[in-house]
């Protein structure tokens, strides 16, 4: 089969699944290295005020001796029977519990923010992939010769030496197709077409 023996065929959407992984990697890397140009509203997301008991810094000095004794028992702490000593022991427990709760909530906020950011990037990534694939499909719909060659590449029946007319979009499509294990093209002439690197 020579470069002129490429049969006519309609575009094959079955080629696109293996394009998607490459596009995904390309754009995910771009997002990681530079800003994506979209404002991030995730930090402005409303978070419900935490009025739970654990979020209140308690003061043992406001309790009477019986209440202090009860709170110490809940925490399996030994009471000395003196208000100042027991209040100090309970206050230390209160402070430790408050700090532990605040640290837990801080980690939760960070995790939620990271999750929202991942969801935002994933949504944008999928949208960009849809646009890329739509553009490529439209190009193939208008270039039956290239569509036919892509089918042959997928089937492993493409000519080993050929020349094909490409543009910026179809060049990317064809380059992705070359990643297919079945591709058997050895020499591809795309010279003098003004294609970007």
């Amino acid at each position: 089969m020579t470069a002129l023996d490429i049969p006519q065929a309609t575009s094959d959407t079955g080629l696109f699944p293996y394009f998607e992984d490459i596009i995904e990697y390309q754009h995910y890397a771009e997002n990681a290295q530079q800003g994506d140009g979209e404002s991030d509203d995730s930090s402005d997301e409303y978070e419900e005020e935490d009025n739970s008991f654990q979020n209140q810094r308690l003061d043992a000095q406001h309790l009477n001796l019986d209440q202090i004794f009860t709170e110490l028992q809940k925490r399996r702490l030994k009471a000395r029977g003196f208000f100042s000593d027991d209040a100090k022991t309970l206050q230390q427990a209160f402070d430790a519990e408050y700090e532990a709760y605040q640290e837990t909530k801080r980690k939760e906020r960070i995790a939620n923010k990271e999750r929202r950011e991942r969801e935002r990037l994933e949504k944008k990534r999928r949208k960009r992939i849809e646009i890329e694939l739509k553009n490529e499909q439209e190009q193939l719909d208008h270039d039956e010769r290239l569509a036919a060659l892509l089918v042959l590449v997928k089937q492993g029946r493409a000519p080993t030496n050929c020349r094909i007319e490409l543009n910026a979009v179809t060049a990317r499509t064809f380059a992705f197709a070359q990643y297919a294990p079945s591709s058997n093209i050895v020499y591809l002439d795309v010279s003098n077409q003004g294609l970007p690197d």
Side-chain angles (χ1 to χ4, degrees), residues 4-5 35 40 76 79 81 95 111 139 150 155 161 164 173 175 184:
L4 299 178
D5 295 330
D40 181 7
R76 298 182 180 181
D95 292 343
Q139 291 288 330
L150 288 173
Q155 296 173 347
N161 299 308
I164 191 74
T173 304
N184 62 334

Side-chain angles (χ1 to χ4, degrees), residues 6 8 11 92 96 101 115 133 171 189:
I6 301 172
Q8 298 295 314
S11 59
Q92 291 174 343
Y101 180 78
R115 173 184 54 78
L133 297 183
D189 182 6

Side-chain angles (χ1 to χ4, degrees), residues 155-168:
Q155 296 173 347
R157 298 191 299 110
T160 56
N161 299 308
C162 62
R163 174 178 174 81
I164 191 74
E165 297 297 324
L166 300 172
N167 57 38

Side-chain angles (χ1 to χ4, degrees), residues 63-72 79 81-84 86-87:
L63 304 179
N64 60 41
L65 189 58
D66 288 339
Q67 291 172 325
I68 291 175
F69 180 75
T70 299
E71 294 299 324
L72 289 174
F82 298 97
F83 180 87
S84 59
D86 291 344

Side-chain angles (χ1 to χ4, degrees), residues 146-158:
L146 176 59
L149 181 58
L150 288 173
V151 172
L152 294 179
V153 170
K154 182 180 179 182
Q155 296 173 347
R157 298 191 299 110

Side-chain angles (χ1 to χ4, degrees), residues 62-167:
H62 293 166
L63 304 179
N64 60 41
L65 189 58
D66 288 339
Q67 291 172 325
I68 291 175
F69 180 75
T70 299
E71 294 299 324
L72 289 174
Q73 279 189 320
K74 289 180 181 178
R75 293 161 176 79
R76 298 182 180 181
L77 298 174
K78 183 177 181 180
R80 295 175 179 267
F82 298 97
F83 180 87
S84 59
D85 292 340
D86 291 344
K88 181 178 180 181
T89 300
L90 182 58
Q91 188 62 53
Q92 291 174 343
F94 281 165
D95 292 343
E97 291 169 0
Y98 177 81
E99 295 300 330
Y101 180 78
Q102 293 300 315
E103 179 64 14
T104 298
K105 299 303 291 185
R106 184 186 70 83
K107 291 180 178 179
E108 288 179 359
R109 288 193 295 270
I110 292 174
N112 289 335
K113 183 176 181 179
E114 291 175 347
R115 173 184 54 78
R116 291 193 299 269
E117 179 65 8
R118 287 194 301 269
E119 291 173 351
R120 186 185 69 83
L121 289 177
E122 175 67 12
K123 182 178 180 180
K124 184 181 180 183
R125 180 189 67 84
R126 291 187 175 277
K127 182 178 180 180
R128 293 183 69 171
I129 288 175
E130 289 176 2
I131 294 174
E132 295 280 2
L133 297 183
K134 181 180 179 181
N135 289 340
E136 292 173 6
Q137 183 64 64
E138 290 175 350
Q139 291 288 330
L140 290 180
D141 287 342
H142 292 86
D143 193 338
E144 294 184 357
R145 188 169 185 271
L146 176 59
L149 181 58
L150 288 173
V151 172
L152 294 179
V153 170
K154 182 180 179 182
Q155 296 173 347
R157 298 191 299 110
T160 56
N161 299 308
C162 62
R163 174 178 174 81
I164 191 74
E165 297 297 324
L166 300 172
N167 57 38

